[in-house]
Amino acid sequence: MMCYSILGPFFPNEAEKKNVSNTVIGMIFGCYAVFNLLSSLLFGKYLVYIGTKFMFVGGMFVSGGTTILFGMLDRAPDGPVFITMCFLLRAVDAMSFAASITASSSIVAKAFPNNVATVMGSLETFSGLGLVLGPPLGGFLYQTFGYEVPFIFLGCLVLLMVPLNMYILPTYVDSTPSQHSFWKLVTLPKIGLLSFVIISLSGSFDFLDPTLSLFVLNKFNLSAGYVGLIFLGLALSYAISSPLFGLLSDKIPYLRKWLLVSGNIITAVCFMLLGPVPILHIESQLWLLVLLLVVNGISAGMSIIPTFPEVLSCAYENGFEEGLSTLGLVSGLFGAMWSLGAFIGPTLGGFLYEKIGFEWAASVQGLWGLISGLSMGLYYIVEHWRRKRCEPQNTLHTEEERTSLLPHRI
């Protein structure tokens, strides 16, 4: 995650020196999400054939290598050659990242079938820390040693993890390919709605990347360093709360659905108050903004952590076989939907910020989260109502079967 987040503080400035326009810089960042989306679906489908351990370790190896090579791009000629190499390396890095994340989710679900949410919540702590530590570490290494060192340092760090994981990780063998497809998975009504929730949550996170810093700089006249500290509140609250919600999801499975719905609604309210939306006539204040970002991080953990076990349990309930093939499909779908949100969020956010300002743009993003949360809540209510209606019929059939098995009187 540090390799993913390291570019922000200094790459745009370096790219401008290479005669790259702001539009193309945005495309270099955006292509990562596109290739991550496509690769997640592909690796999820063929996980059984490739193998979880090989996919995870291989993804790490390629990611470490491309990170180091990205650090050499300052030596590339200006203009088209530099731009082409940026797109190529970002695309390969995105594919290797998708391979590792898809495999890791499957390994977690296979190794800890009864504690999937708890373990994934714990891992999200380290994902959050990686996102938080990447920009300041990258900025420090760049200012101290130049462009190449941040990438070489982190790339080598990832490569060092390869032999360690080769030794530690178990090998899971499942030679049975799935009889189902991504299309069958995503067309299940519940999983379709959960996919919409994942896209919404991912989009809300990445919406803030191109918009919040500009809003804070213009509104409160803060320096760039203080803006980074504001982002810290969101990332740390998410990282700290995720294990707790993972534990709750595993210990009390019934809570998952309501954590998910409540988290979406709270996230929507936070976004509507970030500006705040002009119709509320509330003055924008820095302390309120920071508080809302902290609450938003907690509500994001509340929503995101239960989604993977919910998708997995829904797949099993609808006839998907238990094994690596289904785990691969679910992991790939989760990664693909997250990447789609990561592409839509900043793209739509940047456009709306330019056209209607941050206050209204954040409110539109909040409305998206509100719709996804209410849709999921309505689905769960209808699902509960249908099950309550089926219970008396099932009881009646059971009683009739028991009566038929009793010996007849002569």
Side-chain angles (χ1 to χ4, degrees):
M1 296 308 293
M2 290 172 70
C3 292
Y4 171 77
S5 64
I6 196 176
L7 293 180
F10 58 88
F11 177 75
N13 183 50
E14 286 290 325
E16 284 183 346
K17 294 178 184 177
K18 294 283 189 178
N19 300 323
V20 182
S21 68
N22 288 327
T23 302
V24 175
I25 292 172
M27 291 172 66
I28 291 171
F29 276 88
C31 79
Y32 192 96
V34 174
F35 280 93
N36 203 316
L37 187 157
L38 299 173
S39 304
S40 295
L41 295 174
L42 184 68
F43 288 127
K45 178 66 177 175
Y46 294 103
L47 178 74
V48 173
Y49 300 99
I50 300 172
T52 52
K53 184 174 181 177
F54 181 79
M55 185 183 288
F56 180 75
V57 173
M60 288 184 67
F61 179 78
V62 175
S63 181
T66 51
T67 301
I68 293 172
L69 289 174
F70 208 90
M72 305 297 176
L73 286 180
D74 61 330
R75 304 183 184 187
D78 296 359
V81 175
F82 176 80
I83 293 169
T84 303
M85 292 302 297
C86 283
F87 276 113
L88 180 62
L89 289 174
R90 285 291 281 176
V92 174
D93 195 25
M95 290 187 284
S96 62
F97 184 83
S100 290
I101 292 298
T102 302
S104 67
S105 300
S106 301
I107 291 169
V108 164
K110 186 72 174 177
F112 308 98
N114 299 319
N115 303 98
V116 176
T118 302
V119 178
M120 291 197 74
S122 302
L123 291 178
E124 285 302 304
T125 297
F126 297 98
S127 295
L129 287 174
L131 287 172
V132 169
L133 294 174
L137 178 64
F140 169 75
L141 292 175
Y142 172 75
Q143 287 184 343
T144 309
F145 301 104
Y147 176 81
E148 296 178 1
V149 172
F151 297 100
I152 294 173
F153 174 76
L154 285 180
C156 290
L157 198 63
V158 172
L159 289 177
L160 285 173
M161 295 298 105
V162 171
L164 182 66
N165 280 278
M166 288 176 68
Y167 176 74
I168 290 175
L169 286 180
T171 301
Y172 296 108
V173 179
D174 187 348
S175 58
T176 308
S178 177
Q179 302 301 314
H180 305 288
S181 64
F182 277 111
W183 180 247
K184 183 174 181 180
L185 186 66
V186 80
T187 50
L188 294 171
K190 183 176 180 178
I191 292 182
L193 284 172
L194 286 167
S195 298
F196 181 58
V197 168
I198 295 167
I199 295 169
S200 170
L201 292 167
S202 173
S204 67
F205 261 113
D206 289 273
F207 163 86
L208 296 172
D209 286 342
T211 59
L212 183 63
S213 58
L214 294 174
F215 173 71
V216 171
L217 288 170
N218 294 331
K219 190 77 175 179
F220 303 109
N221 297 317
L222 296 178
S223 66
Y226 283 108
V227 174
L229 290 176
I230 290 173
F231 274 100
L232 197 65
L234 172 68
L236 281 181
S237 60
Y238 173 71
I240 293 169
S241 63
S242 291
L244 173 62
F245 292 124
L247 188 63
L248 282 173
S249 296
D250 282 330
K251 295 296 182 183
I252 316 174
Y254 182 78
L255 272 183
R256 283 179 196 160
K257 57 185 72 173
W258 305 119
L259 284 174
L260 199 154
V261 172
S262 303
N264 269 274
I265 293 172
I266 295 170
T267 299
V269 173
C270 287
F271 269 88
M272 290 178 182
L273 293 174
L274 272 181
V277 60
I279 58 173
L280 296 177
H281 303 292
I282 300 173
E283 185 181 353
S284 180
Q285 298 183 57
L286 185 59
W287 69 267
L288 179 62
L289 180 74
V290 173
L291 176 63
L292 288 168
L293 287 174
V294 171
V295 175
N296 194 10
I298 296 170
S299 64
M302 191 186 299
S303 306
I304 293 168
I305 301 305
T307 51
F308 188 90
E310 277 288 286
V311 172
L312 192 59
S313 63
C314 181
Y316 289 153
E317 288 170 6
N318 285 275
F320 283 70
E321 63 275 3
E322 295 192 22
L324 284 178
S325 55
T326 299
L327 292 175
L329 288 176
V330 172
S331 301
L333 178 70
F334 190 92
M337 295 302 103
W338 189 267
S339 298
L340 182 58
F343 177 74
I344 295 173
T347 305
L348 182 63
F351 173 78
L352 291 175
Y353 180 87
E354 187 176 320
K355 297 296 181 183
I356 58 178
F358 180 81
E359 292 87 347
W360 283 109
S363 301
V364 171
Q365 182 63 47
L367 185 63
W368 185 7
L370 184 65
I371 292 171
S372 65
L374 292 177
S375 300
M376 261 337 294
L378 182 61
Y379 178 86
Y380 283 131
I381 290 169
V382 172
E383 182 185 53
H384 178 74
W385 179 69
R386 283 178 176 173
R387 285 181 178 174
K388 292 292 284 184
R389 281 189 62 188
C390 291
E391 279 178 6
Q393 296 178 7
N394 292 336
T395 305
L396 182 61
H397 287 309
T398 305
E399 291 297 326
E400 289 175 353
E401 289 170 2
R402 287 176 180 171
T403 305
S404 65
L405 292 173
L406 291 174
H408 296 287
R409 290 184 180 180
I410 299 174

